[in-house]
Each structure stands twice: as C-alpha cells, then as structure tokens.
Amino acid sequence: MDIFTKVVEPSRLSIPTNSVADPIFQTSVYSFDDIEEVDQLLGGQRQGYSYTRGGNPNYDSLAQFISGVEGTEKTVITSSGTASLLAGILALRPKPCTIYLAREIYGGTVGICRRILEPMGYVTKWVDTHDERVFAQLITKQSSLLIVESISNPLGRISPLDKIIAIAHARGALVLVDNTFATPFHASPIEWGADLVVHSATKFIGGHSDLILGIVTGSTERLSAVQELVDVAGFTPDPFAAWLALRGARTLAIRMERASTNALELAKALESMPCIDRVYYPGLPSHPDHEVAKNLLRRGFGAIVSLSLRGGYDTVQSMIRRLKLVRFVPSLGDVSTTLSHPVVASHRELTPEEKNAVGIDPSVVRISVGIESVRDIIEDFAQALS
Ligand SMILES: *Cc1c(COP(=O)(O)O)cnc(C)c1O
C-alpha cells in the first residue's frame, strides 16, 4: 500500500473485553461486512451499534450504572443537563400544554420554557409545591406537566414530593423531577412516583468539573420516547464525556457522604459567624423544610449550603475577594468547595420580582461543599467574614 493509503486506514485491532476499565469508544460510526448486517441493525432485528448519535458502549455503561443507583428500568445519556430537561419535557408532553414550574426552579429550566417552549405554544405557570392544599388548588389543567427539583437551587427547599406527585397525577399532570442537587445518594424520585428524573451529570455525578453531560432516567416505556428524541434531535453527548462521568461516578457515594457531612458541619459553624443574616441548609432545624427533608431524603441532606449576608452585594463581594481556599465558580458539584452568586449566574434568567418572590437577592451566596477537611473550609469562611 502507498503511504497515502496507509495513513487513512483505520485500526483493525480487536478490543479485549476483559479490560478492567472501559475502553473509550471514541468513534462516530461502525463498519460492516455487508448490507444485510446494517439493515438488520437499523431495523432493530439485531443488537449492536451503527452510528454514535443513536448509541455507544460508553453511554450504555454509564446508563446501566445510573439505572442501578436510581432504581430505574432505563437511562438515556444526553449532551447536557439542559438537553436532558428539554428531551424529558418533549418526551412527556410533545404537544403544547401548561407547564407548572415549582417556585424555586433552576434559572436554566425557566430559560427552556421561556425561550424555546413558550414560542411553540406552551404556557408556563409558577406553582407553590410546599403546601399540598394550595398546590391542589393551583394545578387545574389536564394534560399538563409539573417540573420540580428534589432539593431546590439555591435555597435547599424540599417539597413533600411523594404527596405532591400523587395530587398532580390525580389531576392528569405528569411530573418531571430534577434530581441534580440530591443525586441518587440522597434521593430516588422515581420511588415517589415521578414520571421522569433528570440530572445535570456535569455536577455531582461527574464530580470533577471536567465535563458537560445530562441524564434522563425512568421506566422503559418513557425512556424509549426519550431515546428516540435524543437520536433524532441530536442531543447525544461525546463518548469521552460519558466515559469521564462514569469514572467520576464510581466515587459518588464516598464523595456525597463526605460532602454532606462537611456541609452540615459548615452550616452549623456559619450560623454563628459575623455578617451572616441566614444560613439555608435542609439539615439545620432552622430550615423551613427540615422535617420534610428528614422524611424524604436519605443519608443526609446534600452538599449545598446557602447564605444570606448582612450588607448584601458589597459584603458578598468582599467575602469572595478574601476567601483563600474556596473559589468563586458559577457551577457546583466539584470535589473542592466552591461558591457562586445565584443572582448573577444560575438565576439570571429570572426577573427581579421573580427572584424576590423566592428570596434570591444579591445578599445570597451558594456554597457547594467539597470533600476537604471541614476545619479548613470553616477556617477560610471565618477569616473572610471576620
Ligand atoms: C446545572 C444544572 C442544570 C443544567 O445542567 P447543564 O449540564 O449545565 O446543562 C439543570 N438543573 C440543575 C439543578 C442544575 O444545577
């Protein structure tokens, strides 16, 4: 063969199947021996992979892992948490309907509704999901969809979702739960009756701030609609991101155990520090949803602690500038402790009135607690606030 032919020839290595770590199937497509093979594969009479937009072994490895920890039948991996939300919404309600958004929802979810779905004819309404009686009166539209988080961003609000989901179903609504903050370590919303559960695996599941990835999980029936959407719309991730996510996720339990223990200790310590107006952590008896959290969450209360600082924006700015260990990062879920400012980042999409209605003002700071020694984290906040 000529060099010009040799350089374009793909590898023909046979991949050993007993490697301990998954190989990365960084391929967009597969080659076949004859037409019949492809025809049977695309027709579904034969198992296998043909084109990575529709499936890849690295997605399957991660999907199997997630189904195992969430207690679900099937999981689909997408290119981001945002893609998972959109795929989940469109799979549950392909035709314009009323979408009820829980009051304390992530700004990006509001963005999907306002910028993509409302122009298509969907109608978005805010609902209170804390009081079952209030909720039962608000949710009136048949064939609607409720979107809610198991632990809300950023104030750690927790609704009695087992009861709320039953009420929603009784009124003909379907329910999509964003389980990003709780992770499968603290909650499996499918047990409360959720129709689909989504994650931003970018956060705690990946755990190392080195990938963007989403997850949709639930029953086989619901997930076949999601799978079709992801393939047809091209919401597919990169195989390497799926590989990285599974590598990170294998330490999910030990990270969450440590981070949630650290979070509780930090939250308690912060309560008596200078400049603190309020500490929001569902593990604290002072949190409005502490009792609900004890009922619904398992193994602790998660790794997100939020604060409201006296002196508002200016105090927040000086604290951020003085912190030495804790970095200012507009995300969460890293192994190290990071901090963000919801008004300018995660909740930017909300109007000032909407932010005020849920208590997210410039004095609020969100801490994503890591797995360091908690004494060092506490000391850093103590020196910055002193
Ligand atoms: C970050 C986040 C998302 C969006 O995920 P991306 O991976 O950034 O697209 C969705 N929901 C919650 C609660 C998040 O924190």
Side-chain angles (χ1 to χ4, degrees):
M1 262 189 274
D2 191 84
I3 177 85
F4 287 94
T5 311
K6 274 188 191 160
V7 291
V8 297
E9 268 297 278
S11 153
R12 301 208 182 249
L13 283 183
S14 67
I15 313 248
T17 51
N18 60 340
S19 67
V20 172
D22 281 349
I24 308 169
F25 289 88
Q26 193 70 19
T27 186
S28 49
V29 69
Y30 295 78
S31 66
F32 299 93
D33 292 330
D34 56 31
I35 300 174
E36 207 175 275
E37 216 184 332
V38 182
D39 194 29
Q40 288 176 347
L41 225 155
L42 295 178
Q45 298 106 305
R46 194 186 165 118
Q47 288 288 307
Y49 305 98
S50 59
Y51 189 62
T52 289
R53 175 156 40 71
N56 175 290
N58 294 115
Y59 309 161
D60 288 351
S61 266
L62 178 61
Q64 194 181 45
F65 172 93
I66 297 294
S67 295
V69 289
E70 280 272 359
T72 49
E73 287 172 1
K74 199 168 154 44
T75 298
V76 169
I77 315 294
T78 73
S79 54
S80 68
T82 306
S84 282
L85 281 162
L86 182 55
I89 295 166
L90 292 176
L92 289 174
R93 290 294 184 212
K95 291 197 188 130
C97 71
T98 297
I99 297 180
Y100 292 105
L101 285 178
R103 263 278 165 209
E104 302 86 13
I105 207 87
Y106 167 63
T109 311
V110 181
I112 291 175
C113 292
R114 288 211 178 128
R115 292 162 191 256
I116 300 177
L117 298 172
E118 283 182 8
M120 290 164 65
Y122 288 79
V123 175
T124 314
K125 288 191 172 150
W126 293 110
V127 277
D128 184 314
T129 49
H130 296 289
D131 186 319
E132 295 135 60
R133 265 165 306 182
V134 174
F135 177 75
Q137 280 161 9
L138 287 172
I139 191 152
T140 52
K141 291 273 186 299
Q142 287 284 323
S143 307
S144 56
L145 176 67
L146 169 67
I147 308 178
V148 61
E149 287 163 20
S150 44
I151 300 180
S152 88
N153 179 0
L155 301 180
R157 296 299 311 262
I158 294 151
S159 310
L161 282 186
D162 47 348
K163 301 189 187 95
I164 291 291
I165 292 171
I167 296 169
H169 283 166
R171 283 170 175 58
L174 295 174
V175 184
L176 178 69
V177 179
D178 186 335
N179 200 29
T180 300
F181 274 36
T183 83
F185 186 74
H186 294 300
S188 292
I190 224 78
E191 289 171 4
W192 310 329
D195 295 287
L196 279 178
V197 175
V198 301
H199 284 278
S200 168
T202 312
K203 317 291 168 56
F204 295 107
I205 289 179
H208 297 76
S209 306
D210 53 7
L211 59 93
I212 301 270
L213 206 79
I215 281 161
V216 191
T217 191
S219 69
T220 306
E221 190 197 338
R222 297 273 185 219
L223 265 293
S224 69
V226 176
Q227 174 61 54
E228 186 173 306
L229 238 151
V230 167
D231 184 2
V232 174
F235 292 163
T236 316
D238 187 78
F240 183 48
W243 184 90
L244 272 177
L246 182 55
R247 181 186 155 89
R250 291 177 69 198
T251 55
L252 178 71
I254 194 165
R255 282 189 284 110
M256 291 313 292
E257 181 182 50
R258 169 86 173 195
S260 63
T261 308
N262 280 356
L264 181 59
E265 268 192 62
L266 175 66
K268 284 182 190 158
L270 283 166
E271 276 195 313
S272 56
M273 284 191 199
C275 306
I276 301 283
D277 182 27
R278 266 189 82 173
V279 178
Y280 300 89
Y281 184 65
L284 292 177
S286 60
H287 191 280
D289 303 322
H290 182 57
E291 290 307 315
V292 183
K294 280 201 289 188
N295 267 333
L296 284 191
L297 302 181
R298 58 194 178 210
R299 308 185 191 104
F301 304 90
I304 303 293
V305 177
S306 288
L307 305 174
S308 164
L309 293 184
R310 277 205 296 274
Y313 188 90
D314 292 339
T315 316
V316 173
Q317 184 77 289
S318 348
M319 182 186 77
I320 288 170
R321 288 182 175 149
R322 277 159 220 239
L323 285 166
K324 296 191 173 103
L325 179 72
V326 179
R327 283 169 302 168
F328 182 48
V329 171
S331 184
L332 60 116
D334 193 75
V335 283
S336 69
T337 301
T338 63
L339 167 151
S340 88
H341 195 231
V343 165
V344 299
S346 61
H347 288 67
R348 212 185 170 82
E349 189 69 33
L350 274 64
T351 63
E353 296 75 44
E354 286 168 341
K355 286 177 207 165
N356 279 336
V358 283
I360 302 168
D361 62 47
S363 75
V364 173
V365 177
R366 185 187 72 198
I367 307 164
S368 172
V369 182
I371 62 172
E372 305 95 330
S373 164
V374 72
R375 258 174 301 163
D376 289 324
I377 311 170
I378 292 173
E379 224 166 80
D380 200 26
F381 279 101
Q383 65 80 18
L385 288 167
S386 67

